[in-house]
Every structure is written in C-alpha cells, then in structure tokens.
C-alpha cells in the first residue's frame, strides 16, 4: 500500500511538472502592429533584409528574382502592403503572399517580404 501511495505522489508531481512546462512554453502574444508617425508607417524588421524590385511599371508587382537593395535600419518606414496571389509572389508566414513597399538604405524603392517584418502589417494601408 505504501508503494502505491508513493507512486501516486510521484505521478502527481510529474503531471504537475509537465503542466508547468507546457504553460511556460505557451506561444507569445501576437506582434504589435506597425505605427504611423511623421508621414510614414513604421515597422520592426530584420536588419539586412532584402528589398526587391518590381516587374510591371504600371502596377508595380514585386519581382522576387531581383534584389535592389537592403534594409539595415530597424525600425524602418513602409508605405503600403500588397497581397499578391501569383506563385512567384509567395513569401510564407502568416500573410503568405504579402509584400510591403519601402525605400532600401541605398535609396532604391521596392518591396520587402512580409516575413522580414516582425510587426503585424495589417495596419498598413493597401497599395491599391
């Protein structure tokens, strides 16, 4: 009887430890959104992220094969967001086809992949 009671206590302690570990590993809250200040939208982004050119001058679609610059500043300013649908516009993440218009540190304008931005980009206005 004493062994059964000891095992019950041991299993209860193990279950409590697993419960605490699970609670501690719970996902973090959602990222804060981008914010508007001084005529630009600002977002937290990955330093060194690529800024891509565009394919079509008329509608300015992102060209995932052409890097025009890099963004080393953080946070950085962004103008608007574009949610594409073409296979070569796929970027992954929570917004799998989202690109964001900005100016790279070298002065070239272009698109950054949403996956390079840690702020929630839903607050940015749509480009068109």
């Amino acid at each position: 009887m004493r062994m059964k009671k000891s095992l019950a206590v041991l299993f209860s302690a193990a279950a409590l430890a697993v419960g605490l570990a699970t609670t501690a590993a719970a996902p973090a809250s959602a990222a804060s959104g981008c914010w508007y200040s001084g005529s630009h939208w600002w977002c937290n982004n990955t330093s060194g992220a690529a800024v891509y050119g565009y394919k079509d001058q008329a509608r300015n679609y992102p060209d995932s094969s052409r890097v025009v610059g890099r963004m080393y500043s953080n946070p950085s300013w962004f103008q608007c967001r574009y949610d594409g649908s073409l296979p070569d516009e796929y970027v992954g993440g929570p917004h799998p086809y989202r690109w964001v218009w900005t100016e790279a540190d070298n002065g070239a304008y272009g698109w950054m992949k949403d996956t390079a931005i840690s702020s929630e980009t839903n607050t940015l206005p749509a480009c068109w």
Side-chain angles (χ1 to χ4, degrees), residues 25-91:
S29 60
S32 298
C34 299
W35 62 97
Y36 189 79
S37 177
S39 76
H40 290 297
W41 286 91
W42 296 86
C43 306
N44 292 310
N45 56 277
T46 303
S47 180
V51 176
Y52 297 84
Y54 48 89
K55 293 185 238 181
D56 181 352
Q57 187 78 22
R59 290 265 329 249
N60 210 8
Y61 294 110
D63 184 350
S64 61
S65 68
R66 192 167 64 92
V67 174
V68 297
R70 298 248 172 223
M71 185 75 75
Y72 295 101
S73 58
N74 180 33
S76 303
W77 71 264
F78 298 90
Q79 191 68 33
C80 57
R81 64 182 162 81
Y82 165 69
D83 289 298
S85 60
L86 301 174
D88 64 338
E89 294 173 338
Y90 180 82
V91 298

